[in-house]
Amino acid sequence: MSGGEITGNGASIAAISAALLCCALAALALWNLQRRRMRRLIEAAAALIGDERPVRTPQALLQRIGELADLRGRAAQVHGLTGLPTREPLIARMSADGQGTLAIFALYDVNRLSAFDPELGDTVLRLLAHRMVAMIGTRRLLAQVDRSHLALWIGGAAEGAAAEIDALCYAMGDRLTAGEREIVPDIGLRRAVVADDGSAPELVLTRTLAAFSAPAAPADAAPIDLQAIARERYRLEQDLRLAVQRGEMRLDFQPLIDSATACVMGAEALIRWRHPVRGLVSPGQFVPIMEASGLAPEIGTWALNTAVRHAAIWRREGLGRLRIAVNVSGRQLEAHDLDRLVARTLARHGIGPDAIEIELTESVALGDAVGGRATFDALRAMGVRVAIDDFGTGYSSFSTLRTLAFDKIKIDREFVSGVEASRERQAICQSILALGRGLGIRVLAEGVERAEEVAWLHRHGCRHFQGYYFAAPLDPASFAAYVRDRDAVSAKVSAAIDSVVGEERIWA
């Protein structure tokens, strides 16, 4: 090969190398341009979804979009103004229960006020929603199905539901103060009894709402005579105002069981009203009226005094250091003198603070978190324990525990019933038990009715129980006799725990 050919080939190789280098540089420049464009696109998308955290990759952007979609999905199930569940959780509960009673309350003032003062309309809506929550606590599901309608679902048999709903409707009409205005709410009511016959909950809800504008009530919505309801509830309220003076009120005591020692460790005091004409009046009827009429502090003071008096008697009779749980209403907590009332009551009966436990629902505790915390701190400083009832049914239970200090949490019967056969309830109960262990808070399962429920809960670390499996609420004499019958309590505990041992032996 000649020297000229070699020189020519070398020049060709150099030219090819230069061309390849240019292509590589061009590709690199294009890749950098595309990366910058992608980064700008990702940043713009992140800004569009309102995420201030740095997002640098498409995968991170997709993750944030998924998180936002999940958050918006959960937010869509909670009303932004009242914090109540919306239609979706209501329909889900109706589907799960199968049968029950649906009541819808129309808040007529909300739309009327919003027409000329939207802010006042919002205020009245919040006040009425808070009033309803305070009256029903977490026993029932209350939902906001549109701006001016609240829906109450009472699952199970319809017996007693109508009376409870009528009492709530009456109490909701009690006057309220919104800013400088005093308003007497105008409340409408429609209800439907739902049978377990496959009726679509969405259709039942739609028909019941439509009944407000229909000239005649639908077949499954009972006619409502609000004037008759108002007259009846007024008479009931007047009788309730004299019930304590007439000696018609009494306390029953449902035992609290410690499975570790197989004995009674205390009781929950439950108010009962035996009317001379009406007979035993359901708490679902008189408690909402008691709250709305302002009688809760008076009757609550009577209940506290009666509970402490019985606790002192039982200690003198040698029944041990029983601790009696006394329920506290929102009105009592709002007075901000509960700690002083408790101290005076204990001193009057000559008994220590370990004799009682103050119990309240999560909704009551959240009504005045700042003032409530000061009251709870004062109670705990003197040695009185504070418990939260119906734990897990509220919408901010874990934030409640971070804000307010409690000594005991009670798993609501909704999660206890049939827990051994329901994975969802098992997951909830296990989470609450783990939370209690982590925070050093005692956990009690209320509403246990079967040995299988006690067995499963005991196997997963629950030691304290309350419910009909052990005993129904008892009058003072019967409760004292139950405490003394240690063999009967021990047999009940052993029957449940032995079933756990037998089951574990089978699976071993």
Side-chain angles (χ1 to χ4, degrees):
M1 183 179 292
S2 66
E5 290 177 347
I6 294 174
T7 303
N9 289 338
S12 299
I13 292 171
I16 292 171
S17 299
L20 290 173
L21 179 60
C22 289
C23 290
L25 291 174
L28 180 61
L30 180 61
W31 180 79
N32 283 328
L33 177 62
Q34 290 176 338
R35 188 179 64 172
R36 287 195 298 271
R37 287 176 176 174
M38 178 62 72
R39 181 176 297 174
R40 287 197 296 270
L41 178 62
I42 292 172
E43 290 173 352
L48 184 63
I49 65 175
D51 198 329
E52 298 180 353
R53 294 173 294 175
V55 180
R56 303 190 184 282
T57 65
Q59 292 81 4
L61 177 62
L62 291 174
Q63 180 181 350
R64 299 292 165 77
I65 292 174
E67 292 173 358
L68 182 64
D70 182 61
L71 180 62
R72 287 180 175 172
R74 293 197 302 271
Q77 297 187 6
V78 178
H79 192 269
L81 193 61
T82 62
L84 294 174
T86 55
R87 292 184 181 222
E88 288 75 12
L90 171 65
I91 291 171
R93 175 69 67 83
M94 292 173 65
S95 299
D97 290 346
Q99 65 174 346
T101 303
L102 175 69
I104 297 183
F105 300 86
L107 315 179
Y108 293 122
D109 302 277
V110 172
N111 287 337
R112 294 169 185 163
L113 291 170
S114 297
F116 63 90
D117 191 340
E119 185 176 349
L120 181 57
D122 290 347
T123 300
V124 170
L125 173 59
R126 282 193 297 266
L127 290 172
L128 289 172
H130 183 267
R131 172 178 288 180
M132 178 70 85
V133 170
M135 289 191 293
I136 67 172
T138 54
R139 298 175 297 112
R140 312 296 190 194
L141 176 63
L142 181 67
Q144 180 125 17
V145 292
D146 64 24
R147 175 168 173 77
S148 59
H149 291 84
L150 303 180
L152 176 68
W153 172 250
I154 302 177
E159 182 180 357
E164 181 177 346
I165 291 167
D166 291 345
L168 288 168
C169 183
Y170 172 78
M172 285 289 285
D174 193 30
R175 67 181 66 246
L176 58 82
T177 302
E180 298 180 354
R181 292 175 179 263
E182 193 172 71
I183 296 171
V184 179
D186 184 8
I187 308 296
L189 173 63
R190 297 292 185 273
R191 59 172 172 254
V193 178
V194 182
D196 193 6
D197 57 0
S199 301
E202 298 91 339
L203 179 60
V204 174
L205 177 60
T206 301
R207 291 178 64 186
T208 311
L209 277 169
F212 284 103
S213 56
D220 58 355
I224 304 297
D225 185 348
L226 293 181
Q227 289 186 345
I229 292 173
R231 284 193 299 270
E232 178 65 13
R233 296 287 73 79
Y234 180 77
R235 291 171 186 152
L236 194 64
E237 178 186 327
Q238 298 307 305
D239 290 343
L240 185 59
R241 291 184 181 278
L242 299 173
V244 173
Q245 300 174 20
R246 293 173 175 171
E248 298 169 5
M249 309 296 288
R250 74 166 196 259
L251 286 185
D252 282 351
F253 299 86
Q254 187 167 32
L256 308 180
I257 307 299
D258 184 348
S259 64
T261 59
C263 66
V264 178
M265 63 180 182
E268 180 180 1
L270 301 167
I271 299 177
R272 297 291 184 261
W273 179 20
R274 183 169 292 281
H275 191 279
V277 177
R278 303 170 188 268
L280 193 62
V281 182
S282 166
Q285 286 183 263
F286 74 81
V287 169
I289 297 176
M290 180 182 73
E291 292 280 359
S293 61
L295 292 171
E298 176 187 346
I299 297 177
T301 299
W302 169 86
L304 175 65
N305 183 71
T306 304
V308 173
R309 176 166 54 84
H310 282 297
I313 292 172
W314 290 329
R315 289 202 177 185
R316 288 196 297 269
E317 292 178 349
L319 292 186
R321 305 186 72 81
L322 301 172
R323 190 184 295 269
I324 309 302
V326 181
N327 290 278
V328 171
S329 71
R331 293 292 183 95
Q332 287 176 277
L333 196 61
E334 289 170 0
H336 301 304
D337 63 348
L338 181 62
D339 53 322
R340 295 188 291 276
L341 174 63
V342 169
R344 290 195 303 269
T345 306
L346 292 171
R348 181 183 307 119
H349 294 283
I351 195 168
D354 63 333
I356 64 167
E357 182 174 77
I358 298 301
E359 190 171 294
L360 67 162
T361 64
E362 180 184 350
S363 59
V364 171
L366 287 177
D368 182 8
V370 176
R373 180 165 188 170
T375 301
F376 300 155
D377 289 345
L379 288 169
R380 299 178 79 235
M382 72 171 71
V384 176
R385 290 180 179 174
V386 180
I388 183 168
D389 195 10
D390 302 328
F391 185 79
T393 59
Y395 300 99
S396 53
S397 296
F398 298 105
S399 64
T400 302
L401 287 183
R402 289 196 300 267
T403 305
L404 304 172
F406 293 99
D407 300 287
K408 183 173 76 178
I409 52 182
K410 299 177 70 174
I411 307 177
D412 185 69
R413 67 174 64 89
E414 177 184 345
F415 308 122
V416 170
S417 179
V419 65
E420 81 285 352
S422 170
R423 290 190 176 184
E424 290 182 356
R425 293 173 183 176
Q426 290 173 5
I428 293 171
C429 288
Q430 285 178 318
S431 299
I432 296 175
L433 288 166
L435 181 68
R437 286 193 297 269
L439 296 178
I441 299 175
R442 293 175 300 121
V443 179
L444 180 144
E446 65 175 335
V448 291
E449 297 184 355
R450 299 162 46 250
E452 293 82 359
E453 295 163 356
V454 176
W456 189 93
L457 289 160
H458 185 274
R459 185 169 70 250
H460 290 84
C462 186
R463 295 293 178 265
H464 301 149
F465 298 92
Q466 174 186 355
Y468 278 76
Y469 172 75
F470 292 101
L474 305 168
D475 62 74
S478 299
F479 173 75
Y482 184 85
V483 175
R484 291 189 180 98
D485 191 359
R486 296 187 177 182
D487 291 341
V489 178
S490 180
K492 278 286 192 178
V493 173
S494 297
I497 295 179
D498 288 346
S499 69
V500 175
V501 175
E503 181 182 340
E504 290 177 345
R505 189 179 295 118
I506 291 171
W507 287 100

